Amino acid sequence: MGKIIDGKAVSKEIYADIKTRVSSYKNKYGRVPGLATLLVGDNPASRSYVRSKIKRSEEAGFTSYHRDMDNSSTREQITGQIKEWNNDNSIDGILVQLPLPEHLRKDTASIMDTIDPAKDVDGFHPENAGLLARGTPRFIPCTPRGIIELLKHEKISTEGKHAVIIGRSQIVGLPLSLLLLMKSEYGNATVTVCHSRTRDISSLTQQADIVITALGKPRFLTAEMIKQGAVVIDVGINRVDDPAAKKGYRIVGDVDTEAVLEKASAVTPVPGGVGPMTIAMLLLNTLNSFEIKQK
Ligand SMILES: NC(=O)c1ccc[n+]([C@@H]2O[C@H](COP(=O)([O-])OP(=O)(O)OC[C@H]3O[C@@H](n4cnc5c(N)ncnc54)[C@H](OP(=O)(O)O)[C@@H]3O)[C@@H](O)[C@H]2O)c1
């Protein structure tokens, strides 16, 4: 039976460390990190994510700035707000919650690109993506950074290991592949990236020492698809109907966790694995942005 990696417990340790550092900076520099969040529209899941981010940042002692903009907001109104925050020295991190409303989807990249790269704590700006690809990252996207921090915490070495990632998105799969390839202690892996056009994914995952699922398909990875003793990191967040649950649904990952645990050496659960690490990394990136400015 494999170990369940408790991402919630690890994130709590990180929050405690951030809080201590913030309170010492308050005396030393006379200010604390500032995180600005922008929510456009009324997507309930986005509202709930933003609420958690604000709550966590305030608990850590940050100053938080928030603006709610309605569904019909224009590209210019949104970039106007971002530019105002770019010029505000008390703000170290800017987060625009995605996805944007339907009529703005095509403008997502150009809106995100107006964020000052020195405040782009989500790490999506082309300048930060380029720095990561070059092997000299500034802000690492939060979910991939959270995964590396979990591996570090669990002392799961990646050096020389075969890591198979399922998913090649800009926010998870692709940056994670770059991190695992980096010439660093928790890099130096041999990386295979799979996507919807990959043939015979099982034949690849069966060779993997570490499998990372980031595709958004409930229980996609089964026990038959992994080798004995593999480490499995489940990034997926999927709603499945469950009449017995209070809300009529429950959240599952991309892994058939119970069956996979019988064969794997360690598995991250959903919920309580990678998810809690993502917000912790947002705070850590904002703290790092603040620290860079003090130097
Ligand atoms: N825990 C967290 O904090 C966190 C953070 C971010 C995302 N997530 C979750 O992680 C999952 C992935 O998120 P994302 O934003 O990366 O999603 P995304 O942008 O939709 O990307 C999904 C990726 O999976 C690939 N894919 C889809 N179906 C596949 C299949 N049947 N076989 C192989 N590959 C397949 C897609 O291939 P193509 O490129 O060919 O389309 C794509 O590369 C979602 O469930 C999301 O909710 C969790």
Side-chain angles (χ1 to χ4, degrees):
M1 184 86 173
K3 176 186 177 180
I4 295 180
I5 300 175
D6 187 348
K8 201 168 175 184
V10 180
S11 73
K12 276 188 186 160
E13 286 177 25
I14 294 169
Y15 287 130
D17 174 57
I18 293 174
K19 202 170 172 177
T20 309
R21 280 154 73 183
V22 170
S23 68
S24 78
Y25 292 155
K26 197 173 180 172
N27 298 327
K28 196 167 169 191
Y29 302 116
R31 83 169 185 97
V32 294
L35 175 64
T37 50
L38 179 62
L39 177 66
V40 188
D42 45 19
N43 179 325
S46 295
R47 185 165 296 279
S48 144
Y49 285 139
V50 168
R51 209 183 299 125
S52 306
K53 289 168 185 175
I54 295 172
K55 182 169 173 272
R56 289 291 182 198
S57 71
E58 289 177 349
E59 282 168 0
F62 288 16
T63 306
S64 83
Y65 303 79
H66 177 69
R67 172 112 185 251
D68 252 343
M69 296 180 82
D70 65 49
N71 231 354
S72 59
S73 304
T74 63
R75 184 188 179 283
E76 289 64 36
Q77 286 169 323
I78 298 168
T79 55
Q81 177 60 74
I82 293 172
K83 285 173 190 164
E84 206 177 289
W85 283 339
N86 281 345
N87 294 325
D88 183 336
N89 287 333
S90 60
I91 292 175
D92 304 284
I94 300 173
L95 178 137
V96 177
Q97 185 65 42
L98 298 178
L100 291 171
E102 200 60 51
H103 73 284
L104 292 164
R105 293 280 161 87
K106 62 177 185 339
D107 298 322
T108 301
S110 71
I111 289 173
M112 301 300 280
D113 291 357
T114 57
I115 297 175
D116 177 351
K119 298 187 179 188
D120 165 44
V121 286
D122 256 337
F124 299 156
H125 192 282
E127 187 174 314
N128 289 315
L131 286 168
L132 174 59
R134 199 177 69 168
T136 55
R138 173 168 50 190
F139 298 122
I140 298 169
C142 302
T143 303
R145 185 174 184 191
I147 292 169
I148 299 294
E149 290 300 323
L150 269 186
L151 293 172
K152 264 189 206 169
H153 187 274
E154 298 300 312
K155 298 190 173 56
I156 296 170
S157 164
T158 54
E159 176 135 355
K161 302 273 178 72
H162 184 195
V164 172
I165 303 171
I166 313 176
R168 58 173 164 183
S169 74
Q170 300 284 333
I171 63 167
V172 189
L174 188 65
L176 181 62
S177 70
L178 295 170
L179 284 171
L180 288 168
L181 280 173
M182 265 177 67
K183 290 186 179 177
S184 60
E185 197 187 349
Y186 283 86
N188 285 328
T190 302
V191 182
T192 300
V193 183
C194 306
H195 47 80
S196 66
R197 311 293 167 93
T198 303
R199 291 185 197 150
D200 195 5
I201 290 185
S202 272
S203 69
L204 298 164
T205 52
Q206 279 161 358
Q207 297 172 42
D209 302 301
I210 304 170
V211 181
I212 302 106
T213 56
L215 68 159
K217 298 269 181 282
R219 299 196 188 89
F220 179 88
L221 191 85
T222 60
E224 296 68 44
M225 292 172 76
I226 65 161
K227 74 174 180 188
Q228 193 72 39
V231 172
V232 176
I233 307 290
D234 189 358
V235 185
I237 300 178
N238 308 292
R239 271 188 186 192
V240 293
D241 291 340
D242 181 358
K246 213 159 106 188
K247 292 179 179 165
Y249 67 85
R250 86 202 137 78
I251 300 295
V252 299
D254 293 339
V255 174
D256 182 359
T257 312
E258 244 171 64
V260 163
L261 261 173
E262 297 290 329
K263 206 168 168 189
S265 58
V267 180
T268 63
V270 176
V274 174
M277 293 298 286
T278 297
I279 302 186
M281 293 305 111
L282 172 70
L283 266 56
L284 204 50
N285 278 348
T286 308
L287 184 67
N288 294 156
S289 170
F290 172 91
E291 289 168 340
I292 292 167
K293 286 203 195 87
Q294 310 310 319
K295 279 179 191 154

